[in-house]
Amino acid sequence: MSTQGREMGEAARLAAVHRYGVLDTPADGAFDRITRMAARIFGVPVAVVSIVDEDRIWFKSVHGLHLHEARRDPGLCASAILQDEPYVVEDTRNDPRTVGNPYVGPDGFGFYAGAPLRAASGERVGTLAIMDCEPRRLDRHETETLEDLAALVVRELELRVSSRRVVAAVHEQLTALEELAVTDPLTKLANRRAFEQRLQEELDAARGTSTAVSVVIADLDRFKGFNDRYGHAVGDRALQVAAEALRSEAADCDLVARFGGEEFVVVLEGCDAEAARAWATRAMDRLRAARVEGADHGVTASFGVASCVACEGPSELLARADAALYRAKRGGRDRVEVAPDEGAPPAAVAPGLAA
């Protein structure tokens, strides 16, 4: 194999190693049972599950030895992953493949057998290995047993990959459901529930401080007539255009929501009344200039603004913004009105207000 081919093969092998996500993870009872079983079946003092990393051999499970990782020296596990079949060295002290390995010698291992751990994608990621202090032999049945135990290790590794995929899929579904619970499906803005929660949070955070919180209510002008003339599909597009106009003016810390029907609400964090008026004016101008596909004219909106510092609660703030919205409607629509300072009596809102 060419140098380039070997490098590509090693890159694919390392990708398989990292796909399992077991490097440097705590001990695991499932793998420890397999190494204990291997040591008992073969009557050896040491059995390991090794994962061969780029420049080290890391042990996921070690029976009979206090070792977490070792250098990737040739001769033992580093050589075993290069084989398709179990790599057996009956006398490591006299075998040219292993005599240079630091774990071989008078006080080291005299026997080594490692079955490669072959990933589902085909790459060899590590070994299930058994070691003895003295030379010994493995017969065919023992070699097959070692391969079977190695297959159990791979099965455990694959189960963990599958479990992570299931957990990730469930998490994604839960996230999507949570988003649906607080998102308006047509405009992709926050919905009324999310708005009410956020407004309460902002008021709670501002209580006892000098931070202003402002609310803007925007209601599309004469929207029923627009729907009747162009149909609900075009009406839906108009709502989406309005949502985008409001969203485009909002800062990351603000919240734009669809309150219901053709009404939108905005929470402006840290904005006093004048700053909120300026924001609403920009949004109104942007909406007025926007086009609605399928209609020969766009839509406008009337805006009511209310601001407070340490308000009593969200209902009071919304009532003042709603009263300001009514004045904007009554004053000719497509305009911004600001509620009087908190504490001033709100203007009465006439029932059956025309859109």
Side-chain angles (χ1 to χ4, degrees), residues 2-20:
S2 67
T3 301
Q4 183 179 7
R6 285 194 297 271
E7 290 175 351
M8 292 177 60
E10 177 65 1
R13 194 193 69 77
L14 288 172
V17 166
H18 293 293
R19 181 174 67 88
Y20 284 125

Side-chain angles (χ1 to χ4, degrees), residues 263-318:
E263 194 170 58
F264 300 86
V265 285
V266 185
V267 180
L268 299 175
E269 180 183 335
C271 273
D272 61 16
E274 284 307 308
R277 179 201 292 273
W279 184 94
T281 301
R282 292 194 303 271
M284 179 181 64
D285 293 342
R286 181 183 288 269
L287 176 58
R288 187 188 304 122
R291 303 281 300 171
V292 178
E293 184 181 351
D296 56 16
H297 64 86
V299 291
T300 63
S302 301
F303 290 77
V305 176
S307 180
C308 72
V309 176
C311 300
E312 291 183 5
S315 58
E316 292 81 6
L317 184 59
L318 283 170

Side-chain angles (χ1 to χ4, degrees), residues 156-215:
E156 289 294 333
L157 291 171
E158 291 291 341
L159 281 174
R160 280 153 178 75
V161 172
S162 298
S163 296
R164 287 199 301 273
R165 287 174 179 163
V166 170
V167 169
V170 170
H171 177 73
E172 185 177 344
Q173 290 174 355
L174 289 175
T175 300
L177 289 173
E178 290 173 358
E179 185 176 345
L180 284 174
V182 295
T183 303
D184 173 59
L186 175 64
T187 64
K188 308 306 179 186
L189 295 177
N191 61 15
R192 181 170 184 161
R193 173 185 173 189
F195 165 78
E196 291 174 344
Q197 178 179 343
R198 174 64 180 278
L199 180 57
Q200 186 65 63
E201 290 172 355
E202 291 296 331
L203 293 176
D204 289 343
R207 190 165 290 120
T209 72
S210 59
T211 303
V213 177
S214 292
V215 165

Side-chain angles (χ1 to χ4, degrees), residues 44-48 59 65 76-77 109 111-113 129-133:
V44 295
V46 176
V48 301
F59 298 104
L65 195 65
L76 301 182
C77 293
F109 298 117
F111 166 82
Y112 174 91
I130 56 174
M131 288 158 270
D132 204 343
C133 298

